[in-house]
Each structure stands twice: as C-alpha cells, then as structure tokens.
Amino acid sequence: MNNLLGLGVFGTFGKPYGFQQIFYVGTEYYFDKVFNSTLDLNTNAIEVFPSTELYAVKREISNGIHSICICKYSYANEINSNRGGTFIGSCILLNETILDASVIYAFLEELHHDVVSSEKNIINSTLQVNEAIQLHVNEPTNFDKAKSQLNFLKGTDFYSTTVNKAKKFLIAPKTNEDKATQVKTFIENSIKYFNDVDTLYFTFDEKAISYVNQKALLKSFDWQKFIDRKEEVIKEREEKKKIEEQQRRELERNKQNKNINSNDGKFRSWEYKKQTWDKNEVKRRVDEYNRLLDYCFELDSQKSPQVRQITQNLYHSQRQHTNREETFFEQNKTTVFLVINLLFIAFVSIYLLFFNEPEIRYYSKPSEDVIEHSEPKETKTEKLESLDLQPTPNSELNANDRKRVEKIGIKGKSGKDIIQTIFQQNPTDIKSHYANQVNQYLEYLISKNPDCFTKDSDICNCDSLILIPSYKKDKQ
C-alpha cells in the first residue's frame, strides 16, 4: 500500500523555475507524476494574501487512478521579488483511497507548520530556496502507520468515474463555529459529497473572499448551502439505491419466470437409451402391421364398385379377398403380399442387427440433468454427472465477502483468474473444498452468473457477481 498515501509541497519560486510541485510517495519523490493536475492558483480568480490561510480539496482521474489532494496555502515572497499572489503550500495525497478527515487535518497542519516555520525554507515570509526539491520537509508523526487506516474509495458512495474540470467553487465559513471543526467538516464533505467537482476552496480570510467575489470567476457558496448539499446527496443516493434494488429484484423475478417457462432459456431434450423389443413387443408391432395392411386392402376396395368380402379371424396366409371382378391387385395379391412381408422381415432383421442398441443422448445446460428411459447402467452420462462439484455448494458469499473480491477487480478477467482471487479471499469455505475442481467450479460459477460472462468465453463483463457459491460444513 506504499503508493496509496503520500504528501507533497509546492510553491511559486520565481525565475527561472516559476511554480513547482513535488510529491513524496513511499520512499520516492515525483514531479507531476502521481498527481498530474496543477496545484497552482489562477490569480485572476483567487489570490493568497499575507493574512490568508487557504484550504483546497482537488480531484483528478488520470490513467484510471482516482486521486484526491488536500492542500493548504500560505503567503510567501519569492527570492528577489515582491510581486503579489506568490505562495507556498503543502498537501496530503490519496490515491484510490479515503482517510478520516480528522487524521488528514492533523497531518496537513503538522506538515504545513514544519514547512513554513523552518528557516531553511522561509525567513520573514520570503522563500530561501529556488526549487521545490530544495525545501526541507519532515514527515508528519505516525504518517506511515496511517496506511493501515486507509479504505478503498472504489465501491463506496464517494467514488466517481468522472471529474468536471469546470466545477471550481469557494466555500465561505460560518462565523460562530470553531475553525478547526469547520476545516475538518470542509475536508470530509468535499471528499464524500462533491464527487465530480474538480476543486473546492475554503478560507476564513474575508479579503480573499471579497477578491473572489469581485473577480466573479469562481462561484462561491455560503456555509449553510455547503452543508445542505450533503443532505441532498444522501437523499439522491438513497433514491438511486432503491431504484437499483427494485431493478435487481425485477431482474431476479424475470430470471425465475424464465427458468420456469423456458428452462433458463437453454434447450432441454430427452434421452432414449438402449431400447430393445422383447417377444411381446415384436408381436404387438406385427399385429399393428397386419392391421395397417388390412386398412390398405380396404382403401383399395373403395376404388371398385364390387363388394369385397374379408374373413377377419384368419392369418394373412389364409385370408381370401374376393371380388366379383378381380382387380390387378387381387389377381396378384399373393405376389404383393409376399413382397411386403419380405420387406417387413428385412426391416426387422436390419433393425435387430444394426440398431438394437442405440444410445441417443441430449444434455440440458447448465444443470446437465438427464432423463433416462431404461434400467440403470453405467454410461457416459454418469461420467458427466461425476464432474459435479463435490461437496455440492450449500451457501454463498455475503455482500461484504463479495466486495472484497470486487475490490481486486474482476471485469475483463478470465474465469480462472477470478476463481483464484475467490480462493485466496475464501480459503476455508471455498478453496479447501474446490481447489482441485477449478473447471467444475468455473462452470458452476458461470451458471449462477450467466449475464456476466460472454457466450463463447469465460471473460467477465461485470464489475460484480450476484452469487459466489461456497460450502459451509456446519450448514444443514
């Protein structure tokens, strides 16, 4: 977590360097790499005076990294220059994380005090160095330990995928409230309830506030409007969650109805396994054949005006079909009958020799249930069934456990990579049971989250999974 929390210093140093900012993250320092947006002030819109202490919360999203920089500015003259609008500043940098506002405030005040009070840096409000890299900087007390208090920004209500660079505001203070309390509240609300705002400024200096209002390039809010924004955002987020929850329930309901009506939208077929004809079945089919043959004779007789007499209780070899005027069919009935019987015998013989033991199999995805129509016998179907997870999952990860997986990131990853993440995060209820059943677990996971995986591959296209199966030994 060395790159998640850092500190920085910046200022106006005059010719030839001008404004510079430098960041210390982990054990290294960077010029404009961990935070690309400038912390310089547009003096046409806002200016720091000798009496001014200016705070700012600035956001950027660069290369997919969401960063928040909490700054403090103080007036400082450049070396060999008395021009106005010059300053020195300090900042705390958060990358993809958030930290308690009270902790941020304590670090920022200690860091800035050390920078502006060191005679290596400033004497009589005049800078003693020519570059930011030359500033003497002490890391705040317990700064390294604070890394254990960081929380990931992604997955919270305070995360945003966009930052509007045109949104820059000045917040005016409340006159009868403790200053330290107001600064902490300013930091907290700026981080949590102004997610897409580029920069928020805050100062107690009336001269600086008057300057901003006079220039009218920055929009200013009074303290009450700033606080009211918190309540508005909370209501908006609650309403959004209700809508999302309703949509989720509706989606689940539609899926359940789809499962009932169309078996999860998958093709389900039936399996007919190794059917044979016993003697009774052969007799039944021969009788059916004879019945159809009689029907053919009956149809033929309808073509002739003469009446055909049929003796019903005799075998075909004994039956006599008489007409007053014999047709061609009647005249050659022995030959026709012999040919038909020979064809039938040939059909039965071929069936018994070559098709007596058909094995036709259809599968039902994702469950691969098989409906069998013969006596139990070890087949390929049973081998397929042996691929089922053992033990069968009887539980699923709760929302907090799923979030731990989602924070590592699943979108765009293959199913096996996601499973390894799941195994690492859940060694007891998942990995211990299914570490040797990766392929089976992947198929089971995809079947429970069909909308999150493409049809022809196991690449995940969702930020989160609805259900991650697990097995709890003590669950009945």
Side-chain angles (χ1 to χ4, degrees), residues 1 9 23 69 152 187-188 214 226 228 280 285 299 319 377 399 417 457:
M1 298 178 72
V9 289
F23 298 91
C69 196
F152 284 104
I187 294 172
E188 180 178 10
Q214 180 182 355
F226 176 71
D228 290 344
N280 292 332
R285 292 180 181 266
L299 291 176
R319 291 182 185 178
K377 188 172 182 181
D417 288 340
S457 68

Side-chain angles (χ1 to χ4, degrees), residues 10-216:
F10 52 88
T12 50
F13 297 92
K15 294 182 181 179
Y17 300 104
F19 174 83
Q20 284 190 331
Q21 59 190 42
I22 186 171
F23 298 91
Y24 297 83
V25 181
T27 58
E28 301 181 27
Y29 65 87
Y30 303 87
F31 284 95
D32 300 340
K33 289 185 178 180
V34 293
F35 194 80
N36 297 283
S37 299
T38 181
L39 300 177
D40 196 5
L41 297 176
N42 177 5
T43 54
N44 291 323
I46 187 169
E47 187 169 330
V48 176
F49 300 98
S51 60
T52 303
E53 284 189 334
L54 178 68
Y55 295 89
V57 174
K58 190 174 184 68
R59 290 177 184 261
E60 75 165 12
I61 298 176
S62 178
N63 298 321
I65 303 298
H66 191 137
S67 301
I68 304 175
C69 196
I70 303 93
C71 312
K72 184 175 182 179
Y73 297 75
S74 292
Y75 178 82
N77 284 318
E78 299 169 353
I79 297 178
N80 301 322
S81 175
N82 291 320
R83 72 184 183 94
T86 55
F87 55 86
I88 189 170
S90 309
C91 63
I92 303 298
L93 179 65
L94 299 171
N95 288 323
E96 290 288 323
T97 55
I98 55 175
L99 188 62
D100 184 84
S102 296
V103 178
I104 296 173
Y105 174 76
F107 286 157
L108 183 62
E109 290 297 313
E110 181 179 347
L111 172 65
H112 193 71
H113 178 268
D114 287 346
V115 169
V116 299
S117 63
S118 173
E119 292 187 352
K120 295 179 181 180
N121 300 328
I122 299 177
I123 297 177
N124 295 328
S125 299
T126 301
L127 290 168
Q128 302 298 300
V129 297
N130 294 308
E131 299 180 69
I133 191 67
Q134 296 173 350
L135 288 170
H136 181 75
V137 179
N138 292 322
E139 186 177 278
T141 306
N142 297 324
F143 186 75
D144 193 60
K145 293 181 181 179
K147 294 175 182 177
S148 63
Q149 303 176 35
L150 293 170
N151 292 309
F152 284 104
L153 183 63
K154 191 172 184 179
T156 69
D157 291 335
F158 323 130
Y159 181 74
S160 176
T161 57
T162 58
V163 173
N164 189 338
K165 293 186 178 297
K167 290 187 176 182
K168 295 180 172 66
F169 307 110
L170 173 68
I171 310 302
K174 186 176 182 180
T175 57
N176 59 348
E177 188 173 346
D178 177 68
K179 289 186 176 182
T181 301
Q182 285 193 69
V183 175
K184 294 175 188 177
T185 302
F186 165 74
I187 294 172
E188 180 178 10
N189 285 18
S190 297
I191 292 175
K192 293 184 176 181
Y193 306 111
F194 292 81
N195 307 34
D196 64 338
V197 175
D198 180 271
T199 310
L200 286 165
Y201 296 104
F202 178 73
T203 182
F204 296 98
D205 187 10
E206 293 183 0
K207 186 175 181 180
I209 296 172
S210 177
Y211 182 88
V212 169
N213 293 333
Q214 180 182 355
K215 294 294 184 179

Side-chain angles (χ1 to χ4, degrees), residues 235-248:
K235 289 181 180 179
E236 289 173 0
R237 288 172 180 169
E238 289 177 350
E239 185 64 27
K240 182 179 178 182
K241 286 181 179 179
K242 288 181 181 179
I243 294 174
E244 291 176 347
E245 181 62 22
Q246 289 175 354
Q247 292 175 342
R248 187 191 67 79

